[in-house]
Structures are given as C-alpha cells and as structure tokens.
Amino acid sequence: MNIGMIGLGNMADAIIGGMLKQKIVKTQELMGSAATDRTVARMAEKYGILTTRDNRAVAEWADIVVLAVKPQFLETVIAEIKEAIREETLLVTVAAGKSIQWYETAFERPIRLIRCMPNTPALVGEGCTAVCPGGNVTEEEKAYVLRLMGSFGRTCLIPESRMDAFSAVAGSSPAFVFLFLEALTDGGVAAGMTRAEAIEAAAQAVLGSARLLLETGRHPGELKDMVCSPGGTTIQGVKALEQGGMRGAVMDAVAACVERAGKL
C-alpha cells in the first residue's frame, strides 16, 4: 500500500513517524511532497522516504493520499492533483473546517474521503485524532485509517457534525494547556522556584493528571475534590481561579474555535 503525503509539516511528520515506528508501512511505501527544497531534503534525510516538490506526482503514485496542508492552501493543491486522483484512490485529510461535501465540490465528483483531525501531541506519540469517513469509504478502508492514526496516539470515530467541536477540544486545546503551563510556571518562579524547576514540576503535574483521568475513568470534578482538603491550600487556589472566571474563559475559548472553524 503506497501512501502519499501532500504537505510535510508537523502533522505529516507525526503521521509518518508513527506509521514507521509501528511498522505499519515501510519507507519505500511512503512519498511526500512539500513546497520547499529544504523541507523535502529534511524529511528525506530524517525518514528515508521518497520526496518531491511535485504534488501531482504523489497523487499519481499513491494508493492513499493524505492532504496535510493548511485549509487556505487546499483549493490550490486540489486543482493540481484532482485529475491524478483515481476512482479507487483513498483520500485522507487532516485540515480543519472543510466538510466532506466541500471536498466533493472541489474535486467535482464523488470521492473516497476520510476526514481526520489529529493534534500536535501526536509528535510525541500522544495524539488524539478524530476520524470521520465519507459515504463512499469501505469498512476495510476505515479500519486501516484508524490503524494509521492510532500509530501515534488515541483515535475517536465521530460523526462529521462534531468535527469542529473536536477540533477545538483536542486540536486547539494544546495551545490552551501551554498557556496554562506558562502561567503556572511563572507562578512558581514568583514563589521562589527556578524556571527549570517550575517547568518540570508543572509539566509533569499536567501529564500525570491527564493520565490519572484517562486510566481511572473518574469524573474530573471528583479527581479535583480528591486534591482539595477542607481548609487546605488547594481549595484556596481553586477559589482564586473561579474568581478569575477560568471555567467560563475556557468554555468561551472552545466556542470561539468552533465558530472560526465554521468560517474556514
């Protein structure tokens, strides 16, 4: 099975790295294209895959074509490759905001398409990817793409109506987490910790908390209450966050992301 990557940015890097690490594909079964010689050379050296700057060449060669470009470049890329996409070619897209109907309109015919939405933690094998197959996709193709996306983290099969929400909660949220970690680190520095100490402590606390939530399956409110002793330090910190409107701000951030995704 030949897999072509159109676009060789961070998401493509994560997908390629995961597939090769899990031995789902071999290097000779991967070809990628990018807009610059520098990116093409870097990925060829890093993974030993076939590379080119010709998007159409990738589309002609591959059985599965992964569109890993930003939404604003999709129309240009599709115009380049649509005549090269065969009836049996499976398309996988990782771009936010574009519906299956949008792709069919852009290609001017029915296509075999699976929408996927990975996030940047995929770069370290801890991604969370939504998968939404179009109506022309077989069960075997769906299972194979779930396996590909599962090579660098968790997968979630969802209807297209929830893709924009997933994009906000999983795709955009790492930026929110990093913002929180930066603020938490600054708080530690203000309290006398070194920057390195504060970063390590904050990051490990967030990592461990997420794992505790996933592995126990307990409600986040219940786990929060486990840390908040009566009259203790933590409940005072929670009170300060509530007074600052943390919950409402986070919910507003998710809503803003969903709204923007609908306009892409």
Side-chain angles (χ1 to χ4, degrees):
M1 185 78 72
N2 291 335
I3 299 177
M5 308 290 300
I6 296 182
L8 291 173
N10 286 334
M11 280 299 101
D13 197 339
I15 294 168
I16 292 169
M19 290 190 298
L20 291 175
K21 184 176 181 180
Q22 297 299 323
K23 298 182 180 179
I24 296 173
V25 296
K26 300 174 182 178
T27 55
Q28 61 267 31
E29 296 172 325
L30 284 166
M31 177 187 285
S33 60
T36 68
D37 290 330
R38 181 179 180 182
T39 300
V40 164
R42 178 176 61 82
M43 294 297 281
E45 181 179 359
K46 183 174 182 179
Y47 291 116
I49 64 172
L50 301 169
T51 56
T52 177
R53 290 189 59 188
D54 186 345
N55 294 332
R56 186 183 175 94
V58 173
E60 291 173 343
W61 177 84
D63 301 302
I64 298 176
V65 175
V66 181
L67 298 173
V69 298
K70 295 185 183 300
Q72 60 266 35
F73 302 131
L74 277 171
E75 287 191 22
T76 300
V77 168
I78 290 172
E80 293 174 3
I81 70 169
K82 65 181 180 180
E83 298 303 326
I85 297 298
R86 304 177 299 279
E87 183 179 345
E88 65 272 18
T89 303
L90 177 64
L91 288 160
V92 177
T93 174
V94 298
K98 301 298 187 185
S99 68
I100 293 170
Q101 180 59 54
W102 183 93
Y103 284 97
E104 292 197 339
T105 299
F107 276 95
E108 300 179 312
R109 67 182 193 273
I111 52 174
R112 308 165 80 87
L113 177 75
I114 298 181
R115 284 186 67 187
C116 296
M117 181 50 57
N119 60 4
T120 54
L123 289 165
V124 292
E126 293 291 348
C128 185
T129 303
V131 177
C132 174
N136 298 321
V137 174
T138 67
E139 287 298 315
E140 291 77 11
E141 289 169 333
K142 180 176 73 175
Y144 188 72
V145 171
L146 282 167
R147 186 181 173 210
L148 292 182
M149 297 296 154
S151 68
F152 48 83
R154 295 171 179 255
T155 60
C156 181
L157 192 65
I158 65 172
E160 190 170 31
S161 61
R162 295 203 284 272
M163 283 293 280
D164 288 348
F166 185 95
S167 176
V169 172
S172 298
S173 65
F176 309 159
V177 175
F178 294 135
L179 190 64
F180 173 72
L181 281 168
E182 185 179 29
L184 194 59
T185 299
D186 286 343
V189 172
M193 296 178 74
T194 67
R195 177 71 58 181
E197 290 170 343
I199 287 175
E200 183 174 7
Q204 182 59 41
V206 170
L207 175 65
S209 298
R211 182 167 294 172
L212 182 63
L213 176 66
L214 289 172
E215 293 188 3
T216 64
R218 300 170 81 168
H219 190 281
E222 182 184 358
L223 294 174
K224 177 210 70 180
D225 289 347
M226 288 171 56
V227 191
C228 296
S229 302
T233 59
T234 305
I235 194 63
Q236 293 303 311
V238 169
K239 179 183 177 183
L241 290 172
E242 294 285 16
Q243 289 174 335
M246 179 179 178
R247 291 192 201 209
V250 172
M251 292 172 70
D252 286 346
V254 171
C257 290
V258 173
E259 181 181 4
R260 177 57 181 160
K263 296 177 180 178
L264 290 175

